[in-house]
Amino acid sequence: MRWPKATPEPFFAAIEENGFTLVGFKKTRLSLAQAQAFYAVHKERPFYDGLVKFMTEGPVVVMVLEKENAIAEWRKLMGATNPEKADAGTLRKRFAENIERNAVHGSDAPETAAVEIPFFFTARDCCKGWQ
C-alpha cells in the first residue's frame, strides 16, 4: 500500500477490525526497476508509467494477510479501483487520491499472490505458512 497523505494506522485498524491476520510486513522504498518488475503485467497499459512513478515516490508497506477467503475479503475492503466508484468505508474511498493513485493493491487470485508474495518476502519472513 502507498499513502501519500494518510498515516498507516487506519489501514492497520481496518486489517484488525476485518479479521485479517498480519503474517508478513515490510516497509520499504521501491526502486524504479523493482516497481517496473512488480507491475510488468501492466506494461502495455496506459496507466503503467504513472503507476510506476507513484509507487517509487515514497515508502510503501507490503504485507501478507491471512483469513478465510483472504483475497476476496481484502479486495472487498480495498474497494473499487476508481475511488469515485468505491463503496463508502472502503480503503480506496477513504484514502485514494484518484484511480491511478489508489492507495492500496491486492492480489486478484491465489496464482497472482504466489508470484507477488515472494517478490517481497521469503518464507522465513512470514510468521505462518503462505505457500
Side-chain angles (χ1 to χ4, degrees):
M1 73 182 73
R2 169 92 170 85
W3 54 85
K5 293 183 179 177
T7 61
E9 288 80 12
F11 286 95
F12 296 115
I15 289 167
E16 186 174 284
E17 290 164 5
N18 285 276
F20 291 94
T21 301
L22 182 65
V23 297
F25 171 88
K26 190 180 293 184
K27 182 177 178 183
T28 188
R29 277 194 81 128
L30 298 179
S31 69
L32 178 61
Q34 286 173 312
Q36 289 170 331
F38 187 77
Y39 291 107
V41 67
H42 299 302
K43 185 156 180 59
E44 302 304 319
R45 308 285 292 272
F47 59 81
Y48 174 77
D49 289 336
L51 175 60
V52 168
K53 181 179 185 308
F54 174 58
M55 294 306 294
T56 58
E57 287 177 351
V60 299
V61 169
V62 293
M63 301 177 295
V64 178
L65 302 174
E66 284 188 346
K67 177 181 179 174
E68 185 73 28
N69 298 312
I71 291 172
E73 292 295 316
W74 181 247
R75 294 186 70 77
K76 186 167 85 175
L77 181 59
M78 286 191 309
T81 303
N82 184 345
E84 293 178 10
K85 296 180 180 180
D87 290 339
T90 62
L91 296 174
R92 288 179 173 150
K93 187 67 162 187
R94 292 169 62 194
F95 303 110
E97 291 181 39
N98 56 49
I99 193 168
E100 289 189 0
R101 303 171 78 83
N102 64 23
V104 63
H105 169 85
S107 300
D108 60 1
E111 299 80 12
T112 310
V115 172
E116 292 178 344
I117 292 170
F119 190 91
F120 294 105
F121 297 96
T122 66
R124 188 175 182 183
D125 292 329
C126 297
C127 297
K128 293 186 179 182
W130 49 265
Q131 296 177 318

